[in-house]
Amino acid sequence: MSNEKMHGDERRQLLLTTLQNSLRPMTGKELGELTNVSRQVIVGDITLLKAKDEPIIATSQGYLYMHTDSTPKKIEKSIVCQHDPHQTEEELNILVDHGVTVKDVKIEHPVYGDLSASIMVSNRSEVKEFMEKINEANAVYLANLAEGSIHLHTIVADKEENIKNAEEALLKAGILVE
C-alpha cells in the first residue's frame, strides 16, 4: 500500500473487510499501518463502524468481527465468581483448560451501575497474554471495583459438560459463588 492516507469512508470499508476476513483479532496498530493512519484514528473509525451496527468488539488481543454463522449453537452461561486479584490467572486457566471461552467480565459498581469488559480468552496462551497486558498497564481488575470482588463471567463452550466440569473445578478452587 502507498504512503498516502486513505479518505474516511474508503478507510472504514477497508477496515471492515479486513476484520471480516481475519481469523484472529487485529490490533489498532496493525490496522493503522495497513491504512497509513494512527491508532487513534482507527479507534475513531471502529467507533463509527460500531455506530452503524457492525458487530465489532474490542478484545485484549485487538478488534474482532463477530460473524453470525450456521455452525452448531454453542452453550453460553453466566457464572458468579469471587476471589483475590492474585487468583485471576488461576480462574481464567481453570475455565480455558475445560474447553470454555471467557467472553467478558461484568460487575455492579456502586456509582456507575453495571460495567462490563470483553476478555475473549480460549486457551492458556491468550490468558498469559491478557495477564501480561494487565500487568504492563498496571491496570486494576474490573472485579476489584465491585463490592467484595463479586463478578460475573459470560462463558461459552461447545458442550454443557465442559461448562459443568469448569464450574466444579472453580467451586473446588473456592472461586465459584453458588
Side-chain angles (χ1 to χ4, degrees):
M1 179 147 273
S2 72
N3 287 336
E4 284 186 38
K5 289 184 181 177
M6 301 176 80
H7 292 289
D9 289 338
E10 181 185 1
R11 186 180 59 245
R12 284 184 287 280
Q13 186 56 52
L14 177 60
L15 292 173
L16 185 59
T17 303
T18 301
L19 289 171
Q20 287 171 332
N21 293 325
S22 180
L23 300 176
R24 63 172 182 79
M26 296 190 69
T27 66
K29 181 180 179 205
E30 289 175 307
L31 295 169
E33 288 171 357
L34 174 69
T35 56
N36 294 311
V37 296
S38 69
R39 187 189 65 77
Q40 289 81 2
V41 171
I42 297 299
V43 170
D45 283 345
I46 296 295
T47 301
L48 289 171
L49 289 169
K50 287 179 178 183
K52 292 182 178 183
D53 292 326
E54 292 296 344
I56 300 170
I57 63 167
T59 72
S60 60
Q61 293 94 22
Y63 295 106
L64 186 63
Y65 189 89
M66 300 300 290
H67 295 278
T68 54
D69 56 33
S70 58
T71 57
K73 192 78 173 140
K74 293 188 179 254
I75 293 106
E76 185 171 293
K77 183 175 183 178
S78 286
I79 59 170
V80 181
C81 296
Q82 183 177 26
H83 57 79
D84 292 331
H86 72 274
Q87 292 177 287
T88 301
E89 188 168 8
E90 176 188 5
E91 171 195 48
L92 296 174
N93 280 331
I94 287 171
L95 290 163
V96 301
D97 286 350
H98 286 88
V100 172
T101 296
V102 183
K103 286 179 65 174
D104 58 26
V105 59
K106 297 175 185 171
I107 65 159
E108 186 177 324
H109 190 273
V111 175
Y112 299 116
D114 292 340
L115 297 177
S116 68
S118 175
I119 296 179
M120 293 304 286
V121 294
S122 300
N123 58 54
R124 279 188 174 247
S125 174
E126 291 173 355
V127 169
K128 183 179 180 209
E129 185 178 327
F130 175 77
M131 296 303 297
E132 286 170 355
K133 285 182 180 181
I134 292 283
N135 292 329
E136 286 170 11
N138 201 23
V140 175
Y141 295 110
L142 200 56
N144 290 6
L145 302 177
E147 278 189 42
S149 295
I150 293 179
H151 57 284
L152 285 85
H153 287 294
T154 306
I155 58 173
V156 181
D158 292 330
K159 298 182 235 167
E160 183 72 42
E161 182 182 357
N162 296 75
I163 290 177
K164 182 177 171 275
N165 292 339
E167 287 177 311
E168 287 174 8
L170 288 174
L171 192 59
K172 191 174 186 179
I175 293 172
L176 188 70
V177 176
E178 289 190 293

